[in-house]
Amino acid sequence: MTSQDSAAGLKSSSVAGIEDKARGAWRGWQERRRTRLSNRQMFYRHTVSVRVLHWINAICLAIMFMSGLQIFNAHPALYWGRYSDFDHPALWLTSEQDPQGHLRGITQIGTTRFDTTGWLGASSADGQMAERGFPSWATLPGPQWLAMGRLWHFFFAWIFVINGFLFVVYAIWSRHFQRDLLPKMSDLRHLGRDIVDHIRLRFPKGEAAKHYNVLQKIAYFSVVFILGPLIVLTGLTMSPTMDSVFPFLLWIFGGRQSARTIHFICAFSFLGFFIIHIVMVILAGPWNEIRSMITGRYAIAPEEPPHGN
Amino acid sequence: MGTDRRNFLARAAAGAGALALSACKGPSETTWFPKVLDSAEVLTKKVQRLFAGSTTLAPEFTKADISPFFKANGTLNPGTTDYNAAVANNFQDWKISVGGLVEHPLKLSLAELRALPSRSQITRHDCVEGWSCIGEWTGAPLKNILALAVPRANARYVVFYCADPMSGDPTDPQYYYESLDLIEACHPQTILAYDMNGEALSVPHGAPVRLRCERQLGYKHANNVQRLELAESFDHINGGNGGYWEDNGYTWWAGI
């Protein structure tokens, strides 16, 4: 063997070594995956009714949020009380010219003003900076078009309400509500531990993964039974016809402009819920979570054996 | 295999591009999709009517609730030659005619309108944009005026024709107009108002006479009213949707 050959041999043997290692790692990964798959337990988590209602609701919320921003943009200010005190808005998305003649977007909360150019108050659409409450990418339809935004909003409002009503009826009738959603006293007792587990991103395994933990129960319960009804009722309070039928709504919410402000806060609470919901889905294993909301089947990781030392 | 995949990716990208492009156009810009969305208007109207009937009253407020500043919207001043002359003349010759499907067509001067039984109400004005103002309105209940004219059996709507031109083109002024059905027109709080907060109606708020229909949004409250027409339908009037803003995409039912 020449020295060249031996060098080549050495080289190829070291390549072969790496390949062996890779193969070994791949086999190991496959083996662990097989074990994981055979150890995991498939659990029928969501009934077909819950899945269908969930996705209809998701579509409705997206459309209603974006068309709601479109409607808000027609008068991008919020007030507290019975009428609009135009000099004292609680929130105002506006704009002004800076000394160079450029349009600046201003967000005014109470009496405090923030420069939010490009996002709130003034943003560009088709490359042109224009006065606009929320940017056009966030609204439905994109351009300033109140009449069309209202058509979207009130069509999907019906679907949202009917869908939500069906869910509540179904959840109570099937005992999904009593069994899975209603926080119980025993749940509330380990509220503290669940908060710590959530912060440390420790997700339940085994039997515990079959049930919503107390934070999930509180979140789903409040969205379905508090936030949902609240956004519908404050929406109805803005209707002059419904105010003639249920004048007490005005009394409950402190006037039409207060109701409009609460409606806006509810909408952004839904957005906050949505963001946390998506983050939790991603952290908890997006494929498993999404599959469970499409096919109903959710894989449960086995409980880990206690760590030796 | 490789080329297949590339082809597939190219096709997928082209498809996504086409989808994005059609999304740019958007369902809002088609002719059929807004009609689907608008089907909810009929449902909303029927359900709201079911609850509200013909008599539920819009909330009325106290003098302490009146907005210190009442925003004027729409045409702040009609500004036509005829209207300016009427303002200069303090609306002495302003007439409100009632015609169409009625037994007794009539014309009322402002003095005659003011001589009719009147109603005062402190109510909230809700603009379709989202803001509200509270003001006191005094005027003649519309149902009394309709009773004088005696609508025919086939009359279903009252169409209000106004003096404010909506387009900048003087050769095609497109005057503001609105319509109510007879249920809303005969509602106890539906008045032809001539006073606001105890004073004669100002030009920005629709002098000399404007409609108040308190269970509906602001664009229904026609300003500078000149002529009332009772009609069986509004299909033949202007854009055929029953009002200036309705012809521009807003719903005829303005209860929400």
Side-chain angles (χ1 to χ4, degrees):
Chain A
M1 210 183 269
T2 64
S3 62
Q4 249 178 340
D5 281 345
S6 89
L10 194 71
K11 223 165 157 189
S12 72
S13 82
S14 74
V15 168
I18 288 166
E19 281 177 346
D20 274 349
K21 273 210 175 79
R23 258 196 296 276
W26 168 241
R27 266 191 232 106
W29 186 84
Q30 277 187 313
E31 214 154 285
R32 280 195 305 279
R33 182 169 176 273
R34 261 198 300 276
T35 328
R36 204 170 64 236
L37 288 180
S38 64
N39 281 358
R40 81 176 180 177
Q41 187 191 345
M42 288 307 277
F43 166 57
Y44 188 61
R45 190 191 212 191
H46 298 300
T47 62
V48 65
S49 313
V50 167
R51 285 177 270 140
V52 169
L53 294 166
H54 168 272
W55 289 112
I56 293 175
N57 188 57
I59 293 166
C60 285
L61 279 180
I63 289 175
M64 294 208 61
F65 184 78
M66 294 176 73
S67 58
L69 296 185
Q70 165 72 241
I71 295 170
F72 175 84
N73 273 2
H75 184 77
L78 296 173
Y79 310 90
W80 196 260
R82 299 185 168 112
Y83 60 79
S84 302
D85 184 354
F86 298 106
D87 292 335
H88 303 100
L91 171 76
W92 188 23
L93 307 184
T94 183
S95 71
E96 62 183 28
Q97 301 270 339
D98 68 9
Q100 285 78 45
H102 299 299
L103 201 61
R104 309 298 301 174
I106 305 288
T107 298
Q108 184 179 322
I109 300 171
T111 53
T112 316
R113 291 161 74 86
F114 305 92
D115 188 321
T116 48
T117 308
W119 295 90
L120 303 172
S123 46
S124 45
D126 302 327
Q128 192 70 36
M129 190 63 90
E131 182 176 50
R132 172 174 279 120
F134 287 98
S136 68
W137 55 259
T139 67
L140 181 72
Q144 192 78 61
W145 194 357
L146 172 61
M148 188 58 69
R150 282 168 51 82
L151 287 185
W152 281 94
H153 203 70
F154 295 127
F155 180 90
F156 282 91
W158 275 111
I159 298 180
F160 174 71
V161 167
I162 294 167
N163 191 68
F165 179 76
L166 287 178
F167 176 77
V168 170
V169 169
Y170 170 81
I172 292 172
W173 169 78
S174 69
R175 304 193 60 77
H176 175 43
F177 166 68
Q178 297 89 321
R179 203 177 48 229
D180 305 320
L181 298 178
L182 185 67
K184 295 182 187 65
M185 278 318 286
S186 56
D187 294 320
L188 294 175
R189 267 197 291 277
H190 28 84
L191 180 62
R193 204 185 61 206
D194 273 355
I195 291 173
V196 173
D197 281 350
H198 259 74
I199 291 170
R200 298 171 62 195
L201 301 178
R202 286 169 53 98
F203 293 102
K205 292 187 159 63
E207 200 55 28
K210 289 187 179 179
H211 310 287
Y212 289 141
N213 62 61
V214 63
L215 287 179
Q216 283 175 300
K217 283 185 182 181
I218 290 173
Y220 295 135
F221 178 85
S222 14
V223 164
V224 176
F225 293 92
I226 298 173
L227 204 51
L230 198 58
I231 205 164
V232 172
L233 289 176
T234 49
L236 286 176
T237 310
M238 283 187 268
S239 153
T241 296
M242 294 321 286
D243 283 346
S244 76
V245 183
F246 303 126
F248 60 86
L249 287 173
L250 290 164
W251 178 80
I252 291 173
F253 296 121
R256 181 180 193 250
Q257 290 302 315
S258 302
R260 183 166 173 264
T261 300
I262 298 169
H263 193 74
F264 182 93
I265 293 169
C266 287
F268 276 84
S269 304
F270 265 112
L271 179 69
F273 170 81
F274 170 75
I275 290 169
I276 294 172
H277 183 59
I278 296 303
V279 167
M280 296 317 282
V281 162
I282 291 167
L283 292 177
W287 168 235
N288 194 24
E289 295 287 335
I290 292 168
R291 179 185 50 208
S292 77
M293 202 37 97
I294 294 172
T295 69
R297 293 187 187 283
Y298 182 75
I300 291 170
E303 268 163 296
E304 278 162 21
H307 291 286
N309 186 26
Chain B
M1 178 70 187
T3 42
D4 274 359
R5 185 178 299 163
R6 259 198 302 281
N7 278 343
F8 170 75
L9 288 175
R11 274 201 306 275
L19 203 70
L21 212 65
S22 69
C24 275
K25 180 96 167 71
S28 300
E29 271 124 276
T30 62
T31 49
W32 64 273
F33 191 72
K35 283 186 188 147
V36 173
L37 293 181
D38 195 27
S39 61
E41 181 195 351
V42 181
L43 179 61
T44 303
K45 182 195 155 191
K46 284 191 172 156
V47 173
Q48 291 206 333
R49 267 284 157 73
L50 202 65
F51 277 101
S54 57
T55 53
T56 60
L57 293 180
E60 295 192 15
F61 300 87
T62 66
K63 283 208 193 296
D65 298 316
I66 291 176
S67 301
F69 169 73
F70 197 113
K71 189 170 165 140
N73 211 22
T75 312
L76 299 184
N77 186 346
T80 60
T81 319
D82 286 351
Y83 187 82
N84 289 343
V87 173
N89 185 26
N90 205 19
F91 299 108
Q92 295 283 322
D93 299 325
W94 193 273
K95 292 274 198 301
I96 295 158
S97 67
V98 184
L101 299 175
V102 292
E103 299 298 340
H104 304 299
L106 54 92
K107 271 190 177 175
L108 292 171
S109 69
L110 283 184
E112 287 166 322
L113 188 68
R114 282 178 180 272
L116 291 172
S118 75
R119 187 183 204 281
S120 282
Q121 56 204 29
I122 300 173
T123 51
R124 197 189 62 221
H125 181 90
D126 298 328
C127 180
V128 67
E129 294 171 356
W131 50 267
S132 310
C133 289
I134 295 176
E136 184 184 28
W137 307 95
T138 305
L142 183 59
K143 70 169 178 231
N144 296 343
I145 298 166
L146 296 180
L148 290 176
V150 189
R152 295 205 179 124
N154 57 345
R156 291 185 58 202
Y157 299 98
V158 185
V159 185
F160 303 84
Y161 294 92
C162 309
D164 45 331
M166 297 307 290
S167 81
D169 179 5
T171 59
D172 178 29
Q174 294 181 32
Y175 290 99
Y176 199 88
Y177 77 109
E178 255 303 339
S179 61
L180 296 178
D181 62 15
L182 283 181
I183 296 175
E184 221 55 37
C186 294
H187 184 262
Q189 289 169 318
T190 300
I191 61 175
L192 288 183
Y194 39 74
D195 285 347
M196 175 188 175
N197 294 340
E199 287 171 31
L201 208 53
S202 66
V203 169
H205 286 111
V209 171
R210 72 174 294 170
L211 177 65
R212 296 297 311 168
C213 43
E214 306 294 355
R215 302 192 299 183
Q216 298 272 300
L217 294 175
Y219 61 90
K220 283 283 175 184
H221 302 225
N223 285 357
N224 328 106
V225 174
Q226 275 186 310
R227 184 160 70 88
L228 276 55
E229 179 192 344
L230 280 99
E232 193 168 0
S233 95
F234 40 70
D235 294 347
H236 61 287
I237 301 167
N238 298 341
N241 297 297
Y244 173 80
W245 286 115
E246 287 84 337
D247 287 340
N248 287 281
Y250 287 83
T251 52
W252 180 83
W253 177 254
I256 187 159

